[in-house]
Amino acid sequence: MSLSTKYNPSEVEDKWYQYWLDKKFFKSTPNPDKEPYSIVIPPPNVTGVLHMGHMLNNTIQDILIRKARMEGKEACWVPGTDHASIATEAKVVKMLREQGIKKSDLSRDEFMKHAWEWKEKYGGIILEQLKKLGASCDWDRTAFTMDDEYYKAVIRVFVDLHKKGYIYRGLRMINWDVEAKTAVSNEEVVYQEGGEVSKLYSVRYAIKDSDETVVIATQRPETILGDAAIAVNPKDERFKHLIGKTALVPFINREIPIIGDDYVELDFGTGCLKVTPAHDPNDYEIGIRHNLEVIDTINEDGTLNEKCEWPPYFGMERFKARKVIIKDLDEAGILVGEEEFTTRIGRSERTNSVIEPKLSLQWFIKMKEISRTAHKAVMDDEILLYPSKFKNTYNHWMENVRDWCISRQLWWGQRIPAYYFGSGEDDFVVAESIEEAVQLAQEKSGNSGLTAGDLKQDEDVLDTWASSWLFPTAVFNGFKDEYFDKETGKIIEGKNVELDYYYPTSTLVTAPEILFFWVARMIIAGYEYKNDKPFKNVYLTGIVRDKQRRKMSKSLGNSPDPLDLIAEHGADAVRTGMLFSSPAGNDLLFDMKLVEQGRNYANKIWNAFRLIKGWEVVDGHNTDNDIPIQWIESRINKVLAELEDHFDKFRISDALMAQYKLVWEEFCNYFLEMIKPDFEKPIDKATYDKTIELFNTILRMIHPFMPFISEELWHNLDSRKEEDCLIVAEWPKPMNFNEKAISDMETVIEIAFSLRNIRNSKGLSPHLKLELNIKCNSKDLYELNSKLLMKFSKLETINFIDEKPTGGASFMVKNDEFFIPLEGAIDIEKEKAELEKEINYTEGFLNSVMKKLSNEKFVSGAPQKVVEMEQKKKADAEEKIKKLRESLANLQ
């Protein structure tokens, strides 16, 4: 069939993706005769749409899974989505608000009905978008972290960890998101690079029954009315005499003690610290040490409450209150001063609102003990991180791991399975079902008459990460009744065929910023429940940034729509474009030119195929083509060996670049030109058949990177059976290759390049046949390749000489010298004039530089870098003049 002159991705991509789906090439089932290769997708939020980070991450996963499939492994890529508690609930609340409905007017069940409707309508968008990229997931396995079985798994793990003593309920200082009205974990608190500008306010406090005052420095004057003490360092000679006295809180004159505590820094601020245990984690620790009162003056929505004891501030938003309090302190004459400084301000990753430290009764997981095996597994390389530099990051986090706050004040998510039967602190039970809860509550309370109606389930839901940390086991139903031993709290070995076959998964591809959020916690869960790692390798991609090194985001308007890129350039172009500049763990500086380069690469392959298929073929064997065939076959096998090394070390970008150079330069630019028959002449069948065979190998090599164009050309390469698709063709294995053939051809190509440069610099026609004279120690290489050189470089003759000729052009390759007579080919007088003109110009430039360098005032007064730059200009100009004079001498 006739192919169009230009590759049109829109005509190819949907056709082949649907065909792969119809033939169930993505589907995987355990096969004892095959080695498993499994990947679980980092489940994107159901609120999400495809962004550039997803594109990079999923392209890499698809490359790995397609290669494994071609290698004959049982390749299983499990897709899924995360229910994303905070983000989804915010979307649903916004949708309801637009309909005139308040969340507070709905019951929990009514709200959940709306949430599920939203999820069904919008939750699958991102997975459908991944199909446009070519993601070859087993879509029948699509998981969702709120699916019934998955939900049960999360609840089961909560109950089990509570039973084991890892989960507890306690009053702790937590990070509160006033916009989402929920707790967030330490890992969900983000800080701006370089910090943020804030102000340090100095405020004067009176001391009871004294004319003395103390001045404290605070960033948060809105919390003054929650002060419980003033602390000074007991070693501070300025203030230690005040310890034991009483200060008065501004406006309300509440008495608070002045205490001594080593936490106070002698050289920061004023040396006096206001202690507000309810609103600062460090103050809370001081409060515990000194048994201070905890006065929580800020509501869950960030407004001040009645505990501040000053009616004008009741109900005022915290940052508005800050401005008003500063004004009032100033008017009262007790605002001593203010100064700007740069500090780290924690913000909620989800809403970007400033985190409010808050004492709250929450659920936690004790992390120190449960993390030990997971920590050791990575440090001992049982699990390999790529690049390995992230081991240091992992080690730091795990050595300093803190208890994990897992409760969230939301409705969308797995509801915490704690049931309360009384008002006492310990009047609750934890159970997988209401029936089990009733039985446990009866036993614990001693009241056999308790019923389900007497129990009240905890209102909170679990942190989203407390569900996704089970992903590698839950997607294979590891926590179902028949596979889980409640007594030991372990998954039963040898019962779950799928889990036993696919687990541990082969590779996890994810972003470094969730190394602790998700990766470390999956490792913890894997060893806790399966006594084994959840994956063997972790490939950590970089962050996609723009050319100004800013992280790509919608808010900055610097992120292109990936689907628009695919529509304009094709999925293969976008896949390769993302990888042209993305070494593992390093940020990708995205440039549209990279996608255009990917599109051009696809067109190059397309046009090479059209060229080959357009040749007329006749029986025979042109032995002149044996040398280029032996060379390109050796190069293909050498690159295949390099690819294996790159894949083994997860250098996916390097793997792409290796085959890109081979295909673009060596196969298309050199090999096809070497064997191409003269205009309107046929090619011999032996050369043609070998070229088709080599192109077959190339298509298999590029398929994981460029699945669509490779599949299309595969079916145009030869007549094939319906099921004979490239996606399941055998991955090419590297064979022995001839290094001498490669080295010899490198010399031939270098000669050809030098000849091309001479043609270009002298303005010679590419069709003009030149004479080449060679002065060398050994003629063998040139005699063997003489026909190829003459064809490839448009030469009339090749001669071997003993003496250097005068005139013409020359160049060197290794230790051999090459001369091209140019008499009659160029206008000698015109060439001389051009050279003399260039010499005169360069000498004038050199003189101007020499004047500067001979000026002592300039040399002694200018910055060192400027002087060095002028010295380099001098050296460069002198070298250029030398070469120009040599060229001029050759023309005499």
Side-chain angles (χ1 to χ4, degrees):
M1 68 181 275
S2 140
L3 291 181
S4 64
T5 56
K6 197 173 181 183
Y7 176 53
N8 187 348
S10 62
E11 294 176 356
V12 169
E13 293 175 353
D14 289 344
K15 174 184 75 174
W16 284 117
Y17 198 85
Q18 190 57 52
Y19 189 82
W20 294 329
L21 286 174
D22 292 343
K23 294 296 176 185
K24 300 191 180 302
F25 287 135
F26 304 162
K27 188 167 180 58
S28 178
T29 53
N31 184 342
D33 297 327
K34 283 185 174 185
E35 177 188 346
Y37 188 92
S38 52
I39 295 177
V40 294
I41 199 171
N45 291 350
V46 287
T47 58
V49 293
L50 205 60
H51 59 60
M52 300 305 284
H54 292 132
M55 295 285 280
L56 173 62
N57 186 293
N58 287 283
T59 292
I60 292 168
Q61 290 177 80
D62 195 48
I63 288 168
L64 295 174
I65 211 77
R66 284 179 183 272
K67 180 175 183 283
R69 192 181 288 120
M70 294 176 75
E71 288 173 324
K73 296 173 184 174
E74 188 57 48
C76 179
W77 185 10
V78 181
T81 49
D82 191 294
H83 66 277
S85 295
I86 297 175
T88 304
E89 184 146 326
K91 291 273 188 184
V92 176
V93 168
K94 182 183 177 187
M95 176 192 73
L96 292 172
R97 194 184 302 125
E98 289 168 354
Q99 297 172 10
I101 304 171
K102 292 181 181 178
K103 178 187 172 184
S104 55
D105 293 337
L106 299 175
S107 68
R108 189 184 195 111
D109 288 344
E110 287 170 337
F111 178 83
M112 289 297 285
K113 184 170 179 286
H114 285 290
W116 276 107
E117 287 172 357
W118 186 94
K119 183 267 174 186
E120 292 306 317
K121 185 173 181 180
Y122 300 106
I125 289 175
I126 193 164
L127 298 184
E128 290 303 311
Q129 291 175 328
L130 284 177
K131 293 177 182 178
K132 289 288 185 185
L133 183 66
S136 57
C137 302
D138 184 348
W139 297 108
D140 292 340
R141 293 180 177 274
T142 302
F144 176 50
T145 53
M146 285 273 282
D147 285 339
D148 286 347
E149 287 300 329
Y150 203 115
Y151 193 109
K152 289 176 187 174
V154 175
I155 299 305
R156 171 157 286 174
V157 165
F158 184 100
V159 173
D160 176 69
L161 291 178
H162 182 265
K163 178 182 172 184
K164 290 172 178 173
Y166 286 123
I167 286 182
Y168 67 93
R169 186 170 179 249
L171 186 67
R172 297 288 185 276
M173 180 68 70
I174 52 97
N175 305 302
W176 186 260
D177 182 335
V178 300
E179 187 174 333
K181 295 186 182 63
T182 184
V184 294
S185 67
N186 292 320
E187 293 74 32
E188 291 169 301
V189 179
V190 295
Y191 301 87
Q192 287 187 18
E193 291 181 21
E196 296 185 53
V197 175
S198 184
K199 285 189 176 181
L200 196 63
Y201 299 95
S202 297
V203 180
R204 191 184 308 280
Y205 283 56
I207 295 177
K208 185 182 177 185
D209 300 329
S210 169
D211 293 332
E212 277 191 281
T213 60
V214 293
V215 177
I216 61 91
T218 179
Q219 295 178 59
R220 304 197 61 201
E222 68 274 16
T223 64
I224 281 175
L225 301 175
D227 287 355
I230 287 176
V232 300
N233 192 303
K235 301 184 185 71
D236 194 329
E237 295 294 336
R238 297 170 297 171
F239 304 116
K240 67 180 184 180
H241 69 283
L242 296 176
I243 296 172
K245 295 188 177 183
T246 300
L248 302 175
V249 176
F251 305 135
I252 57 175
N253 290 326
R254 178 162 43 80
E255 297 182 6
I256 55 174
I258 299 176
I259 59 176
D261 196 284
D262 289 332
Y263 173 78
V264 183
E265 296 178 23
L266 294 170
D267 56 354
F268 181 76
T270 64
C272 299
L273 177 76
K274 66 187 277 305
V275 182
T276 319
H279 298 296
D280 184 275
N282 298 310
D283 290 8
Y284 178 64
E285 295 299 324
I286 295 173
I288 291 173
R289 289 197 290 273
H290 296 273
N291 196 28
L292 299 176
E293 183 182 4
V294 177
I295 307 167
D296 187 349
T297 60
I298 298 179
N299 294 318
E300 291 183 354
D301 63 357
T303 58
L304 272 60
N305 60 37
E306 290 80 359
K307 290 182 182 176
C308 68
E309 301 179 39
W310 196 246
Y313 302 150
F314 293 175
M316 193 177 290
E317 191 275 328
R318 56 183 173 157
F319 293 121
K320 182 181 178 184
R322 177 182 297 181
K323 293 177 182 177
V324 173
I325 289 173
I326 290 300
K327 179 174 172 288
D328 292 348
L329 289 169
D330 192 28
E331 289 176 353
I334 54 177
L335 179 65
V336 178
E338 56 184 75
E339 61 177 295
E340 284 191 349
F341 74 115
T342 300
T343 186
R344 296 171 80 236
I345 297 176
R347 292 179 177 273
S348 168
E349 184 186 42
R350 294 295 180 197
T351 64
N352 200 44
S353 63
V354 174
I355 287 296
E356 186 62 49
K358 194 171 182 62
L359 269 178
S360 180
L361 194 61
Q362 302 284 343
W363 292 91
F364 296 85
I365 297 180
K366 296 177 186 175
M367 294 296 286
K368 201 71 181 174
E369 185 62 36
I370 201 173
S371 301
R372 291 191 194 282
T373 307
H375 185 189
K376 188 173 185 295
V378 171
M379 301 319 295
D380 291 350
D381 290 335
E382 185 177 341
I383 297 169
L384 296 171
L385 303 187
Y386 295 90
S388 59
K389 67 180 182 181
F390 285 108
K391 277 179 70 174
N392 292 332
T393 308
Y394 185 89
N395 184 50
H396 175 75
W397 275 335
M398 296 300 263
E399 280 185 340
N400 298 283
V401 68
R402 290 179 285 183
D403 288 359
W404 175 14
C405 176
I406 55 170
S407 46
R408 298 291 180 267
Q409 289 62 54
L410 303 164
W411 281 351
W412 175 250
Q414 289 92 0
R415 192 171 179 181
I416 288 174
Y419 298 85
Y420 303 91
F421 56 81
S423 56
E425 188 176 318
D426 195 41
D427 288 349
F428 68 88
V429 293
V430 173
E432 290 186 31
S433 66
I434 184 64
E435 293 78 17
E436 186 183 346
V438 169
Q439 183 181 341
L440 291 172
Q442 288 174 347
E443 293 169 3
K444 190 171 182 179
S445 67
N447 181 359
S448 59
L450 280 178
T451 66
D454 298 318
L455 303 186
K456 179 175 173 55
Q457 188 175 353
D458 198 299
E459 291 290 330
D460 292 351
V461 299
L462 282 162
D463 175 16
T464 296
W465 299 107
S467 61
S468 58
W469 74 324
L470 307 178
F471 207 69
T473 40
V475 296
F476 298 117
N477 294 315
F479 296 95
K480 289 186 79 170
D481 288 347
E482 57 265 44
Y483 307 134
F484 189 81
D485 186 336
K486 282 189 173 184
E487 293 302 313
T488 63
K490 299 285 184 183
I491 292 168
I492 303 167
E493 294 296 323
K495 277 202 168 187
N496 184 330
V497 175
E498 292 223 328
L499 188 62
D500 291 339
Y501 183 73
Y502 292 117
Y503 188 101
T505 61
S506 306
T507 303
L508 178 75
V509 182
T510 191
E513 56 260 40
I514 57 173
L515 181 57
F516 187 76
F517 271 154
W518 190 47
V519 180
R521 288 166 177 168
M522 282 191 289
I523 297 172
I524 293 166
Y527 282 106
E528 179 63 26
Y529 289 105
K530 195 75 171 64
N531 293 321
D532 199 358
K533 55 186 171 287
F535 24 73
K536 300 161 191 167
N537 304 294
V538 180
Y539 177 99
L540 296 156
T541 65
I543 296 170
V544 184
R545 298 184 181 274
D546 64 16
K547 287 185 286 185
Q548 297 174 314
R549 296 190 172 273
R550 299 176 303 173
K551 186 174 179 179
M552 284 195 159
S553 68
K554 284 185 179 178
S555 59
L556 287 175
N558 63 345
S559 180
D561 185 326
L563 292 182
D564 289 345
L565 289 180
I566 290 173
E568 184 177 354
H569 300 286
D572 290 335
V574 176
R575 289 164 67 107
T576 50
M578 295 295 291
L579 285 171
F580 277 134
S581 180
S582 57
N586 293 325
D587 291 350
L588 182 157
L589 299 183
F590 180 78
D591 189 333
M592 271 301 301
K593 289 178 181 174
L594 297 174
V595 176
E596 291 165 9
Q597 185 180 346
R599 180 197 62 201
N600 294 340
Y601 185 30
N603 283 330
K604 186 83 169 178
I605 296 166
W606 186 265
N607 290 332
F609 184 80
R610 287 182 64 247
L611 174 69
I612 296 166
K613 294 299 277 187
W615 288 334
E616 179 189 348
V617 183
V618 294
D619 287 336
H621 178 190
N622 181 356
T623 55
D624 289 348
N625 291 331
D626 289 353
I627 290 175
I629 286 172
Q630 184 186 34
W631 163 67
I632 196 66
E633 194 163 28
S634 290
R635 277 297 297 144
I636 287 172
N637 281 301
K638 186 172 184 179
V639 168
L640 283 170
E642 290 171 2
L643 288 183
E644 292 309 311
D645 184 55
H646 288 320
F647 273 108
D648 286 346
K649 294 169 181 171
F650 290 89
R651 297 193 299 245
I652 310 302
S653 181
D654 291 345
L656 171 64
M657 291 308 298
Q659 54 108 317
Y660 173 81
K661 179 179 181 294
L662 170 76
V663 176
W664 185 292
E665 290 184 12
E666 296 171 318
F667 185 81
C668 295
N669 286 358
Y670 306 153
F671 173 70
L672 292 183
E673 285 298 312
M674 290 173 185
I675 66 162
K676 185 172 70 175
D678 291 336
F679 182 62
E680 294 188 343
K681 294 290 178 67
I683 193 168
D684 64 288
K685 191 172 189 304
T687 299
Y688 178 81
D689 289 347
K690 192 64 182 179
T691 303
I692 291 293
E693 177 190 319
L694 295 169
F695 201 84
N696 177 304
T697 303
I698 284 171
L699 290 178
R700 286 183 287 148
M701 184 194 300
I702 69 171
H703 177 76
F705 300 90
M706 308 176 78
F708 293 109
I709 190 172
S710 57
E711 189 74 80
E712 176 74 5
L713 294 179
W714 175 263
H715 287 271
N716 281 276
L717 192 68
D718 208 347
S719 57
R720 303 184 186 278
K721 294 178 183 176
E722 197 176 67
E723 66 279 4
D724 185 10
C725 285
L726 181 55
I727 189 175
V728 288
E730 185 179 356
W731 175 256
K733 295 180 176 66
M735 310 294 284
N736 292 334
F737 51 87
N738 187 327
E739 278 286 11
K740 186 174 186 306
I742 293 173
S743 175
D744 286 354
M745 189 58 73
E746 285 173 355
T747 301
V748 170
I749 290 170
E750 191 174 348
I751 293 167
F753 256 100
S754 298
L755 287 165
R756 185 179 299 175
N757 289 338
I758 287 171
R759 285 182 187 273
N760 292 337
S761 65
K762 306 301 182 187
L764 301 178
S765 165
H767 303 295
L768 176 66
K769 293 204 170 184
L770 301 175
E771 177 185 337
L772 179 63
N773 296 319
I774 307 174
K775 184 177 182 294
C776 59
N777 292 322
S778 173
K779 304 175 184 178
D780 294 349
L781 186 150
Y782 307 115
E783 287 178 337
L784 183 65
N785 291 280
S786 60
K787 286 185 178 180
L788 177 60
L789 264 172
M790 290 176 72
K791 177 183 177 182
F792 194 42
S793 295
K794 298 286 192 304
L795 299 177
E796 184 75 46
T797 58
I798 296 177
N799 306 308
F800 296 95
I801 58 174
D802 297 322
E803 299 295 330
K804 291 183 183 181
T806 57
S810 64
F811 60 90
M812 287 188 70
V813 173
K814 297 179 180 173
N815 293 321
D816 296 339
E817 294 179 271
F818 300 81
F819 304 90
I820 304 96
L822 295 176
E823 191 174 348
I826 62 170
D827 184 334
I828 298 292
E829 294 306 317
K830 183 181 177 184
E831 186 74 12
K832 283 182 183 178
E834 289 293 330
L835 286 170
E836 286 170 349
K837 183 180 176 182
E838 184 71 9
I839 289 168
N840 290 335
Y841 172 81
T842 310
E843 285 178 337
F845 174 77
L846 178 60
N847 287 336
S848 68
V849 174
M850 293 295 291
K851 280 182 184 178
K852 280 187 182 180
L853 291 174
S854 61
N855 184 334
E856 281 188 31
K857 190 174 180 183
F858 169 78
V859 173
S860 59
Q864 183 65 27
K865 282 187 178 179
V866 174
V867 175
E868 287 173 0
M869 190 180 296
E870 292 302 314
Q871 289 170 337
K872 185 176 184 306
K873 286 179 184 177
K874 172 180 175 288
D876 290 347
E878 288 172 340
E879 180 65 21
K880 185 175 181 181
I881 290 167
K882 180 185 173 186
K883 288 183 177 178
L884 287 169
R885 290 195 181 281
E886 286 175 359
S887 297
L888 184 60
N890 283 334
L891 292 174
Q892 300 303 326

